[in-house]
Amino acid sequence: MTTWLDIPADHPFGIDTLPYGVFSTGSNPRVGVRVGDLVLDLAAVDPERERVWAAASLNPLLALGRPAWTAARARVVELLTDEAHREVVTPHLVPLARVTMHLPVEVADYVDFYASEHHASNVGQIFRPDNAALPPNWKHLPIGYHGRAGTVVVDGTDVVRPTGQRKGPQDPTPVFGPSVRLDIEAELGYVVGGATQLGSRVSVDEAPDHIFGVVILNDWSARDIQAWEYVPLGPFLGKSFATSISAWVTPLEAFDLARTRLPGQDAVPVLPYLRGDAWGLDIHLEVRLNGHVVATPHNSDMYWSPAQMLAHLTVNGASLRDGDLFGSGTISGPTKGERGSLLELAWGGTEPITLPDGSTRTFLEDGDTVTMTGWAPGPRGARIGLGEVSGTIRPAR
């Protein structure tokens, strides 16, 4: 496809990407689509869907389901590729620098998975060096925990250092105070629509009818709080203080050429409900700490697929709601430079990372800024961009 807009062919937000977001130019947040370094005000150019585009979140669009998502994307493509629409569309293209971006989805429920074998093995070796790296259930089901939807925040939101209870190996009793092992987790988040009824379930093959699109997700983690609390029920306060997502949601259709078979799918036979078209996405992430690249994880290394995660999430009859969000879990690869958390990169604090200014990090310090970006292969050698998610650590209150 070609557009009448003057956009470089290799721009990550070209006509093949077209992510949705919620923006404002002073008031009235509404839905726009990014093309190049411009934002198209959709409510002004697509009267048929004006109610959906004028909303302050993507939730009304998510409620319409897959056929409507496909039709809406086709309309946006038509507006930006047919010369006949240039005169009407051009006045409603706003420079990206002039807009304020908002949380794109009113998050209904948030679930985070643990789908990277490399990450799970590394964490097992760090936390449980005398035991098997993976728990016995790990290759039989996608492990996850239910997070806090109300603390999902958009790119650019500062993160206050969490305070809580912790107990180190040498502490005779628990202590209370700010986390001293504050970490990141480089993930993808999957935005869900097409609500289902309580008691029903979604199969692996039906998952694409409910996965609207993809965001980059940073699951901030207080490792000291987490380590003390997580037995026996899993993460709680060590995770629930903030989860950051990118402002742009890239539709699943944009990743047609990025679909790939994940390497672990044939390793261990799974139960029938986890079988089917268990596709993965060839998405490449870059993690920068204070502007310095510290990791480049690849989502194609994951063990469990998003379709399997969604099938497992609903197999007990749990319903889906428009605006549900589920995370992939930390994306890590086989080499040190592909590890998606500081816990792994600094190996539990024993191998500090050296930054260009000569300072070192094992975990985050106040004032540190973490930025994650991503891309996937697209048509004609182009890249499909996923925007970025950034956050700066502020002192505990």
Side-chain angles (χ1 to χ4, degrees):
M1 293 182 292
T2 58
T3 175
W4 46 261
L5 281 164
D6 184 18
I7 300 175
D10 60 351
H11 199 294
F13 294 98
I15 195 66
D16 296 300
T17 305
L18 299 180
Y20 295 104
V22 173
F23 78 102
S24 64
T25 53
S27 60
N28 300 325
R30 53 204 185 274
V31 177
V33 68
R34 180 173 177 180
V35 55
D37 294 320
L38 301 168
V39 180
L40 175 59
D41 186 347
L42 292 172
V45 296
D46 186 17
E48 180 181 343
R49 301 171 184 83
E50 183 177 1
R51 179 189 64 82
V52 170
W53 302 139
S57 78
L58 288 171
N59 291 51
L61 177 62
L62 298 175
L64 297 179
R66 171 61 59 194
W69 305 341
T70 300
R73 181 173 171 84
R75 178 56 175 166
V76 173
V77 169
E78 178 189 350
L79 290 170
L80 294 171
T81 56
D82 189 337
E83 182 72 30
H85 299 295
R86 180 198 285 255
E87 186 176 347
V88 171
V89 170
T90 298
H92 303 290
L93 289 163
V94 185
L96 190 63
R98 286 178 44 202
V99 307
T100 299
M101 299 303 299
H102 304 271
L103 190 68
V105 177
E106 185 179 347
V107 181
D109 278 308
Y110 168 53
V111 173
D112 197 29
F113 285 94
Y114 194 43
S116 164
E117 182 177 4
H118 297 293
H119 173 67
S121 296
N122 288 338
V123 171
Q125 292 175 60
I126 293 168
F127 281 170
R128 303 178 299 276
D130 298 327
N131 297 303
L134 294 177
N137 61 351
W138 199 90
K139 290 191 176 183
H140 294 277
L141 57 87
I143 294 174
Y145 73 90
H146 200 143
R148 189 172 179 84
T151 53
V152 176
V153 297
V154 72
D155 163 52
T157 303
D158 288 347
V159 175
V160 175
R161 182 177 296 272
T163 297
Q165 201 181 123
R166 61 184 192 272
K167 182 181 181 300
Q170 309 306 317
D171 295 329
T173 58
V175 298
F176 180 84
S179 170
V180 296
R181 292 168 68 90
L182 186 56
D183 198 3
I184 61 171
E185 290 193 341
E187 306 189 19
L188 294 181
Y190 298 92
V191 176
V192 172
T196 61
Q197 293 295 314
L198 186 65
S200 64
R201 59 193 190 191
V202 174
S203 71
V204 169
D205 291 334
E206 293 168 334
D209 291 336
H210 298 276
I211 299 175
F212 171 79
V214 183
V215 293
I216 302 178
L217 185 150
N218 185 353
D219 181 29
W220 305 93
S221 301
R223 299 299 187 186
D224 42 0
I225 296 173
Q226 178 185 356
W228 174 233
E229 74 181 359
Y230 86 104
V231 177
L233 293 183
F236 185 32
L237 301 183
K239 299 277 193 175
S240 62
F241 58 95
T243 302
S244 298
I245 65 172
S246 51
W248 296 105
V249 183
T250 307
L252 194 60
E253 291 101 324
F255 297 107
D256 285 348
L257 293 184
R259 292 204 179 199
T260 186
R261 184 164 181 80
L262 299 177
Q265 287 301 304
D266 300 318
V268 175
V270 295
L271 292 172
Y273 80 91
L274 290 171
R275 298 174 195 162
D277 185 11
W279 44 270
L281 293 175
D282 182 20
I283 294 175
H284 307 264
L285 298 182
E286 182 179 271
V287 181
R288 299 194 301 275
L289 175 55
N290 297 336
H292 175 62
V293 176
V294 294
T296 54
H298 307 290
N299 190 60
S300 57
D301 288 323
M302 299 297 273
Y303 188 93
W304 294 105
S305 79
Q308 289 172 314
M309 293 180 227
L310 193 64
H312 185 66
L313 189 159
T314 62
V315 74
N316 66 344
S319 56
L320 297 178
R321 296 197 288 171
D322 302 316
D324 280 356
L325 173 71
F326 68 94
S328 63
T330 305
I331 301 168
S332 290
T335 69
K336 183 173 182 178
E338 297 169 311
R339 297 172 184 170
S341 68
L342 295 178
L343 176 70
E344 298 167 86
L345 288 165
W347 206 252
T350 63
E351 301 175 8
I353 300 167
T354 301
L355 299 179
D357 63 2
S359 64
T360 61
R361 295 289 188 280
T362 51
F363 294 96
L364 295 173
E365 297 184 1
D366 292 347
D368 283 347
T369 298
V370 177
T371 302
M372 300 177 184
T373 56
W375 64 272
R380 302 172 301 281
R383 288 186 172 186
I384 302 298
L386 281 90
E388 70 176 43
V389 59
S390 184
T392 298
I393 303 302
R394 300 304 178 194
R397 294 173 180 167

